[in-house]
Amino acid sequence: MNSALSWIKAYVPGLECGDQEYFDRMTLSGTKVEGFKRLDKNLEKIVVGKVLSIEKHPDADKLIVCQVDVGSEQLQIVTGAPNVTVGALVPVVLDGGKVVGGHDGGPLPEDGIEIKAGKLRGVESFGMMCSIEELGSDKNFYPDAPENGIYIFKGDLKPGDDAIEALGLHDTVFEYEITSNRVDCYSILGIAREAAATFGLPFAAPENDCAGNDEKASDYISVEVKDTDLCTRYCARVVKDIKIGPSPEWMQRRLAASGIRPINNLVDITNYVMEEYGQPMHAFDLDTIAGRKIIVQRAKDGDVFRTLDGQDRNMDGEVLMICDSEKQIGIAGIMGGENSMITDSVNTVVFESACFNGPNIRKSAKRIGLRTDASGKFEKGLDPANALEAINRACHLIEELGCGTVVGGVVDVCEPLKEEVVLPFMPEKYNTLLGTDVSKEDMLKYFEKLEIRYDSADNSLHIPSFRQDLLGQADIAEEVARFYGYDNIPVTLPSGEGMEGGLSYHMRVEEKLRIAAEYCGFSQGMFYSFESPRVFDKLMLDADDPLRSAITISNPLGEDFSIMRTLSLNGMLTSLSVNFNRRNKNVKLYEMGNVYIPEKLPLEKLPDERMTLTLGFYGEGDFYSLKGAIETMFEAVGMWERAEYVPGDSYKFLHPGRQAKVIYKDQCVGYLGEVHPLVAANYSIKTRVYVAVLDIPAMLPFTGFERRYAGIAKYPAVTRDISMVAPADVLAGDIEKMIRQRGGKILESVKLFDIYEGDQIKEGFKSIAYALAFRDISKTLSDDEVNSAMKKILNGLESMGIELRS
């Protein structure tokens, strides 16, 4: 986005600052300026001169000798320009002045060219008359300049006047880097609003009132929008008795400074309003519109349309077209058609100002290979309210410049506009976010400058429609920051968990679990979250198992990666299978990864992403070694109480007699077991495989990192061994639970050291032996105290059908 500073000053009265100050302050307030260029750089001592007389050079056929009045004196200047005439007003560089360069098309000198008095073929010359190229521009931006010759002024000028001022070159063009969310700043008015707020000056919007004559535009033209999803607003106004001619110099100079070539008053007005309001416009010749009706609709696949540049463009069904009752007359938001172009014979025109769907305009421009200034603005998503303002401004300029007669009224086909964004005013929140202490009153002053209206009745902020980027409280806080001054925000330490650079709590828990898993001999694996629906059959899940309700990926790489996993075992078993078939004897793997559980399908909200720790191994070890690894991990994250392992057959992919749920404080936090032999066979694993899955979100409430020091015991422990015969269906965990329950506070530890089932034990029973340790931290235990505790334990075991072995 480029703009001349003079154009900005037109809407910010009182803006007086140097180029560097403007650059710095605009950048600091959030409107980043990339750079600037002085249009009068290297143009020095250049005045308006009047040619008084012309004589032939005595020694050169192509040179003439002119006497030129430069106001303060009369100079003799030798030139070879063919278009100089007596009485002409021309730009003259005085002795010692500078010009930008020549008109030979070569590179321009960095410091310009200094002009000195001297002799040309023996005749003294005390200056130089200039072409527009020597002044740093060209005929594209000064249409009245000759192809090859001296620039001749028109208008009320006198010798000695500043020629650079007369050419509008005492100006600076600034280049801005506008972020895509600030659509309003892709316009002169948007930049001017920012400048007014930055410098604390009033913003003076241009006049755009234009009622027109007593006729009605609807009597001249009608509009129908068929594809309202791609066009939310279409405004049309009619101007008759058109008078084509050059636009005024002030308009030409502003357009030229923005890099737009002046053409004629009608075209220049549409371009001027596009730059001023950021709203592209187009003009149609009313006489070329069949049925005097405009229809906005999609093209048909295979349509071919010739645009204003004479090129045939291939359309498809997603390109939005402007049509009349018989034909297509323009590509919406991109370029008009050759069949409705404005010619010098035009009498009545229809101005179009619309709001088209931004993404569709961008895609259409890429598909047909045509990107224009208009499409570049439309694709960013314009404010529908701006369309009517812009078309009224264009009609105001028509009347102001005497280009035609504006017909009264406007044809406005508009979908319901978005409701005004209203946000609660929360000054404390803004200060907390920014680390500042800006008063409520100062904030409201900033908002007033930004045209954000404050309603004290409900303490709310009403956002103007052109600020489409202000949607939440963080956006409002940013507005406070940039006008308070980023350089004024004090240095403060961030607050909140993990803000000092450490890990968040749940990440610390995960890190501890990883370390514990690796301590237990497991190596980390990483598996895909995308899986195939066939996984559920390999794992032998029931047809109605809830885990089969997986999220389908809309653009999968293939069927093998078409759903989001709901359990983590497939990746683990696949990796174990690869290792087994490559003859790795003992493999222990773990994975920390998410599973994705939808609340229901099809999705109405994001699924529950649950982090799980999955352990898997084959080779050395069994169910109990896996259980021991789990207990090591629990201790690593502060889960000191003993977990229960409840056997069952809930998991079809696990051996029905060798699986258990992990219960911690009455909460199921995972499961473990031996993989079902048929499932192992599905993965081509011909040995016993053990897996465990821990649900980390379920564990988090029970975790902690506090460690309490306990001194070395001062008093000795008393040990007892008990050997018993228990029914085979009585679980060791239940026996241990009974021992701990009956042993009381003095029972320090319980350790299973032997278990046997065989010929020497009667059928249906098993032999179990435990080592018990008793200790009192305050005294030495007596035999009576230990015997009393043992008696309670034995009574409890007898109630379970357990016999003490002699």
Side-chain angles (χ1 to χ4, degrees):
M1 173 70 190
N2 293 350
S3 74
L5 184 58
S6 61
W7 202 349
I8 301 298
K9 288 181 176 180
Y11 308 127
V12 188
L15 178 58
E16 297 296 337
C17 63
D19 295 339
Q20 190 62 49
E21 181 185 359
Y22 182 85
F23 178 101
D24 293 338
R25 293 186 63 177
M26 289 292 284
T27 298
L28 284 174
S29 68
T31 307
K32 187 172 186 296
V33 183
E34 284 288 287
F36 60 89
K37 176 185 177 183
R38 286 291 307 180
L39 297 182
D40 58 3
K41 181 182 179 182
N42 295 329
L43 300 178
E44 298 177 8
K45 298 178 70 176
I46 304 176
V47 299
V48 176
K50 183 177 182 179
V51 180
L52 302 177
S53 67
I54 299 175
E55 296 178 358
K56 287 186 177 182
H57 192 288
D59 196 25
D61 293 339
K62 293 184 178 181
L63 297 178
I64 56 176
V65 180
C66 302
Q67 301 300 319
V68 183
D69 180 6
V70 293
S72 60
E73 59 182 321
Q74 181 177 314
L75 300 178
Q76 179 173 287
I77 298 175
V78 179
T79 181
N83 65 324
V84 178
T85 59
V86 174
L89 295 171
V90 296
V92 175
V93 189
L94 303 178
D95 182 21
K98 280 187 177 182
V99 293
V100 171
H103 52 270
D104 56 0
L108 299 178
E110 180 67 26
D111 297 323
I113 297 174
E114 185 175 356
I115 304 301
K116 295 182 177 180
K119 291 184 178 181
L120 288 177
R121 299 291 294 271
V123 177
E124 290 185 318
S125 181
F126 297 94
M128 184 181 80
M129 291 182 277
C130 304
S131 67
I132 198 65
E133 289 79 12
E134 289 163 329
L135 297 174
S137 191
D138 58 51
K139 182 174 172 57
N140 284 330
F141 299 115
Y142 287 82
D144 55 338
E147 290 287 349
N148 184 21
I150 300 302
Y151 184 80
I152 298 177
F153 288 108
K154 298 179 179 63
D156 188 16
L157 295 173
K158 63 182 184 298
D161 286 349
D162 186 343
I164 302 306
E165 183 177 354
L167 289 166
L169 294 177
H170 282 317
D171 205 349
T172 307
V173 175
F174 286 85
E175 179 186 357
Y176 306 89
E177 180 187 334
I178 308 298
T179 54
S180 57
N181 66 322
R182 288 301 306 271
V183 182
D184 58 304
C185 285
Y186 285 96
S187 68
I188 299 297
L189 295 184
I191 298 294
R193 284 191 179 97
E194 289 294 304
T198 299
F199 288 89
L201 298 170
F203 168 71
E207 296 182 14
N208 65 357
D209 55 319
C210 180
N213 63 16
D214 294 334
E215 298 177 278
K216 292 182 179 178
S218 56
D219 294 335
Y220 284 78
I221 192 73
S222 63
V223 175
E224 179 184 2
V225 178
K226 290 188 176 180
D227 292 296
T228 54
D229 58 324
L230 300 184
C231 177
T232 54
R233 189 170 199 176
Y234 192 99
C235 301
R237 292 201 71 168
V238 177
V239 180
K240 63 181 186 178
D241 303 328
I242 291 294
K243 301 177 182 66
I244 299 292
S247 55
E249 287 192 9
W250 61 266
M251 180 176 286
Q252 292 186 31
R253 298 292 73 79
R254 289 179 179 178
L255 290 174
S258 297
I260 298 175
R261 180 170 64 92
I263 297 175
N264 60 48
N265 51 6
L266 198 59
V267 175
D268 290 354
I269 285 173
T270 59
N271 286 334
Y272 186 87
V273 173
M274 179 176 71
E275 291 300 301
E276 189 176 49
Y277 278 77
Q279 171 67 51
M281 295 183 61
H282 188 68
F284 298 103
D285 185 342
L286 181 62
D287 293 334
T288 65
I289 300 177
R292 301 215 167 178
K293 181 176 183 178
I294 290 176
I295 303 170
V296 184
Q297 61 185 4
R298 284 177 166 89
K300 295 182 175 63
D301 290 337
D303 283 354
V304 178
F305 180 71
R306 176 164 291 189
T307 47
L308 277 170
D309 58 2
Q311 300 293 315
D312 289 334
R313 311 284 178 176
N314 296 318
M315 304 291 115
D316 62 38
E318 290 303 313
V319 179
L320 189 65
M321 302 297 294
I322 309 299
C323 310
D324 60 22
S325 58
E326 297 176 358
K327 61 186 180 298
Q328 297 167 337
I329 58 175
I331 307 174
I334 301 176
M335 185 176 282
E338 191 178 67
N339 56 8
S340 62
M341 66 186 296
I342 301 293
T343 64
D344 289 343
S345 62
V346 67
N347 181 63
T348 306
V349 300
V350 176
F351 278 120
E352 164 199 277
S353 179
C355 188
F356 301 117
N357 180 273
N360 176 262
I361 295 298
R362 177 162 178 79
K363 292 176 183 176
S364 298
K366 292 189 70 174
R367 280 199 295 270
I368 66 178
L370 179 62
R371 194 164 187 268
T372 61
D373 289 340
S375 68
K377 293 185 184 296
F378 274 121
E379 67 190 24
K380 294 174 176 63
L382 301 183
D383 174 18
N386 201 36
L388 183 59
E389 296 288 322
I391 201 170
N392 287 337
R393 171 62 171 166
C395 290
H396 175 87
L397 290 171
I398 288 285
E399 289 187 339
E400 181 181 325
L401 304 183
C403 304
T405 302
V406 178
V407 174
V410 57
V411 178
D412 186 6
V413 178
C414 182
E415 291 295 295
L417 298 179
K418 289 182 181 179
E419 293 185 4
E420 182 182 53
V421 175
V422 180
L423 299 171
F425 178 45
M426 306 172 68
E428 296 82 6
K429 183 179 182 67
Y430 311 147
N431 279 322
T432 300
L433 282 171
L434 300 173
T436 56
D437 188 23
V438 184
S439 68
K440 172 182 176 180
E441 292 72 25
D442 285 343
M443 290 185 188
L444 292 178
K445 289 178 182 177
Y446 302 153
F447 299 151
E448 183 180 1
K449 291 191 293 185
L450 294 168
E451 301 181 38
I452 299 172
R453 183 170 58 84
Y454 173 64
D455 187 346
S456 58
D458 58 358
N459 192 43
S460 62
L461 301 174
H462 295 249
I463 312 301
S465 64
F466 59 81
R467 287 302 302 272
Q468 299 183 52
D469 59 308
L470 301 183
L471 300 173
Q473 295 298 339
D475 302 321
I476 300 298
E478 183 181 9
E479 299 302 291
V480 173
R482 64 195 191 97
F483 288 105
Y484 175 69
Y486 292 116
D487 53 332
N488 294 324
I489 296 177
V491 176
T492 57
L493 289 174
S495 60
E497 181 184 20
M499 293 301 292
E500 295 79 12
L503 298 175
S504 63
Y505 182 80
H506 75 88
M507 293 178 70
R508 290 171 61 200
V509 170
E510 292 167 12
E511 182 183 48
K512 290 286 187 182
L513 290 172
R514 287 191 189 94
I515 293 171
E518 291 166 6
Y519 169 79
C520 293
F522 290 84
S523 299
Q524 185 171 15
M526 300 185 72
F527 313 127
Y528 289 114
S529 294
F530 300 162
E531 293 185 334
S532 167
R534 294 192 296 270
V535 166
F536 302 130
D537 296 329
K538 291 178 72 174
L539 293 172
M540 301 196 316
L541 295 184
D542 293 337
D544 59 348
D545 194 304
L547 291 175
R548 286 182 177 266
S549 298
I551 302 164
T552 302
I553 299 169
S554 59
N555 57 340
L557 298 174
E559 186 184 5
D560 289 343
F561 302 96
S562 60
I563 62 170
M564 302 296 292
R565 67 179 183 177
T566 55
L567 73 169
S568 58
L569 291 181
N570 175 65
M572 176 62 71
L573 293 175
T574 300
S575 187
L576 291 174
S577 173
V578 171
N579 279 275
F580 178 82
N581 288 286
R582 290 181 180 174
R583 293 186 172 86
N584 293 322
K585 293 183 179 180
N586 297 295
V587 177
K588 301 173 80 173
L589 298 175
Y590 79 93
E591 183 214 17
M592 191 81 72
N594 284 328
V595 294
Y596 305 85
I597 311 298
E599 183 176 307
K600 65 177 181 177
L601 295 175
L603 283 177
E604 294 181 356
K605 61 180 182 179
L606 292 176
D608 183 12
E609 299 185 31
R610 300 191 71 82
M611 181 63 71
T612 60
L613 172 62
T614 306
L615 306 173
F617 76 92
Y618 66 81
E620 294 180 1
D622 55 17
F623 179 93
Y624 296 103
S625 57
L626 185 59
K627 174 174 170 285
I630 291 175
E631 290 173 349
T632 298
M633 294 178 194
F634 281 2
E635 289 179 3
V637 294
M639 296 171 66
W640 299 106
E641 296 189 20
R642 300 187 65 82
E644 295 183 42
Y645 299 86
V646 180
D649 58 358
S650 303
Y651 304 101
K652 301 297 182 183
F653 42 81
L654 298 180
H655 194 297
R658 300 169 187 168
Q659 60 172 278
K661 292 181 179 180
V662 183
I663 308 297
Y664 191 87
K665 291 186 177 181
D666 300 325
Q667 172 73 36
C668 181
V669 296
Y671 58 86
L672 76 160
E674 179 184 329
V675 174
H676 197 291
L678 295 178
V679 174
N682 289 340
Y683 285 90
S684 303
I685 304 176
K686 299 176 182 178
T687 188
R688 290 187 174 184
V689 186
Y690 298 91
V691 295
V693 177
L694 298 179
D695 185 5
I696 293 178
M699 293 169 55
L700 282 176
F702 309 117
T703 59
F705 296 103
E706 290 186 0
R707 297 290 186 269
R708 294 183 180 178
Y709 170 75
I712 298 174
K714 296 180 179 180
Y715 302 98
V718 179
T719 60
R720 295 282 191 276
D721 292 346
I722 54 174
S723 180
M724 64 196 82
V725 177
D729 59 351
V730 175
L731 301 177
D734 292 338
I735 295 174
E736 185 174 332
K737 185 177 180 181
M738 176 62 73
I739 293 173
R740 289 183 179 281
Q741 182 180 3
R742 293 298 183 101
K745 294 182 179 181
I746 63 172
L747 179 62
E748 186 177 63
S749 66
V750 180
K751 184 178 180 181
L752 174 69
F753 68 87
D754 183 58
I755 184 167
Y756 172 76
E757 291 182 74
D759 295 339
Q760 299 179 15
I761 305 298
K762 58 184 179 180
E763 186 176 352
F765 284 78
K766 58 187 175 184
S767 173
I768 301 180
Y770 285 92
L772 311 184
F774 298 88
R775 192 194 306 266
D776 191 325
I777 62 173
S778 60
K779 65 178 182 177
T780 301
L781 288 172
S782 65
D783 286 343
D784 291 341
E785 289 173 310
V786 175
N787 291 337
S788 176
M790 285 295 299
K791 184 176 181 179
K792 292 179 181 178
I793 291 171
L794 295 175
N795 290 337
L797 295 175
E798 288 177 3
S799 69
M800 299 173 67
I802 296 172
E803 301 174 3
L804 189 67
R805 293 183 66 185
S806 57

